[in-house]
Amino acid sequence: MKLFDLSGKAAIVTGGNGGIGRGIAVGLAAAGANVCIAGRNEEKNERVQREIDELGARAISSHCDVNVEADIASTIAATEEAFGGLNILVNNAGIAALNAPEHMTDEEWGSVIETNLSSVFKFSRAAHSSLAKSGGGKIINIGSMYSIFGSPFAPSYSASKGGVIQLTKSLGVAWAKDNIQVNAILPGWITTDMTAPIKSDMTDLYEAIVARTPAGRFGQPEECVGAAVYLASESSNFVTGQNIAVCGGYSIC
Ligand code: NAP
């Protein structure tokens, strides 16, 4: 076994066109994987595809709204056709809605639960037979610190990410028989488009987060790559249903 070597493995990264997903997609490619960038914004998809091409690795992009089952099916089919199978699925696409629970609308509740939780189930369900056919594989779900903690200003986000942990365990139990390991990464506060407004418009919150984080800073998307490569590789073949927090210590105090 070559630890951390992903040569010849085929991966899909949802939301792989920006932020943490882009970091993970490029990182998996640098470790040898062939990567499908699955996102809604085709210009952003193609930009990351080119970035991976320039590394000398193979990439395709697929227009994919993770809330549309036909897009999920066509993304899996395109990956199998381009790379001869599917070995790794990273369920990364996500959104947030900021509102107090007493003011939260049905739309702010439902859209976040659909995108962050239901799509993880639907994409994993659709990928199961392809992964099993490849002799097993890896599913990596992206949770959050709000998988662990409650949030007074993002209740639907927190509920969705808490659900991701329990779904990760359930899929891990169910699909161990197929040699599919299912694990989660729980990023702390990472500098991306999602968190940019906190730094620019919510200065008190930004400073409180930095003060509470033992590392004393936000992380960068690339800092999630090591955990992703580990969970995508044969190094983690006896690890399933687990969460790895990549959070500068935010989750331990
Ligand atoms: P981001 O920069 O806003 O990126 C979000 C990505 O999700 C985009 O690539 C976007 O692609 C994609 N996406 C959203 N809705 C989609 C949909 N319906 N179908 C397909 N793709 C969709 O945010 P990020 O910070 O990198 O977040 C990535 C993941 O990490 C999310 O699950 C987020 O909850 C989680 N996370 C982030 C942090 C943080 O501090 N940044 C912390 C913990 C967890 P399009 O533009 O093409 O729609």
Side-chain angles (χ1 to χ4, degrees):
M1 184 200 299
K2 271 187 165 175
L3 294 175
F4 310 117
D5 181 13
L6 303 182
S7 298
K9 302 290 185 188
I12 295 173
V13 182
T14 71
N17 62 16
I20 292 171
R22 179 204 142 271
I24 290 176
V26 173
L28 296 182
N34 303 315
V35 181
C36 173
I37 309 297
R40 293 176 298 187
N41 181 318
E42 297 192 21
E43 203 182 313
K44 282 168 62 187
N45 288 351
E46 283 161 19
R47 203 178 309 145
V48 179
Q49 186 184 346
R50 279 197 301 278
E51 196 179 342
I52 292 176
D53 285 345
E54 282 161 20
L55 285 176
R58 289 176 67 204
I60 60 167
S61 61
S62 176
H63 175 82
C64 181
D65 181 333
V66 294
N67 296 319
V68 176
E69 291 195 57
D71 286 3
I72 293 175
S74 60
T75 296
I76 293 170
T79 304
E80 289 191 299
E81 193 185 327
F83 304 138
L86 176 65
N87 309 101
I88 300 157
L89 168 64
V90 183
N91 286 306
N92 163 80
I95 57 171
L98 304 187
N99 209 344
E102 64 272 29
H103 300 306
M104 182 153 268
T105 65
D106 287 352
E107 211 282 320
E108 287 168 329
W109 174 263
S111 61
V112 172
I113 297 291
E114 278 302 301
T115 302
N116 294 4
L117 179 58
S118 303
S119 84
V120 175
F121 166 67
K122 289 177 186 170
F123 219 123
S124 301
R125 178 177 64 183
H128 170 259
S129 65
S130 305
L131 293 167
K133 210 165 49 190
S134 300
K138 308 285 186 174
I139 298 178
I140 302 168
N141 298 325
I142 305 302
S144 162
M145 287 300 96
Y146 289 123
S147 296
I148 307 168
F149 301 114
S151 166
F153 55 81
S156 56
Y157 185 82
S158 185
S160 70
K161 294 296 187 179
V164 164
I165 284 193
Q166 291 303 103
L167 178 60
T168 297
K169 291 178 189 169
S170 298
L171 300 181
V173 173
W175 295 344
K177 66 177 175 20
D178 302 310
N179 192 30
I180 299 169
Q181 289 80 48
V182 188
N183 292 289
I185 295 173
L186 311 185
W189 295 87
I190 309 290
T191 302
T192 66
D193 288 352
M194 184 181 277
T195 55
I198 297 174
K199 190 169 185 182
S200 56
D201 308 335
M202 303 162 85
T203 323
D204 288 353
L205 177 59
Y206 178 77
E207 283 167 8
I209 292 165
V210 170
R212 199 213 133 135
T213 304
R217 63 176 177 85
F218 274 43
Q220 295 302 316
E222 290 71 20
E223 295 183 283
C224 296
V225 170
V229 171
Y230 166 64
L231 292 176
S233 75
E234 293 188 16
S235 307
S236 59
N237 278 358
F238 202 50
V239 176
T240 199
Q242 304 301 311
N243 314 304
I244 299 181
V246 180
C247 65
Y250 187 96
S251 65
I252 54 168
C253 60

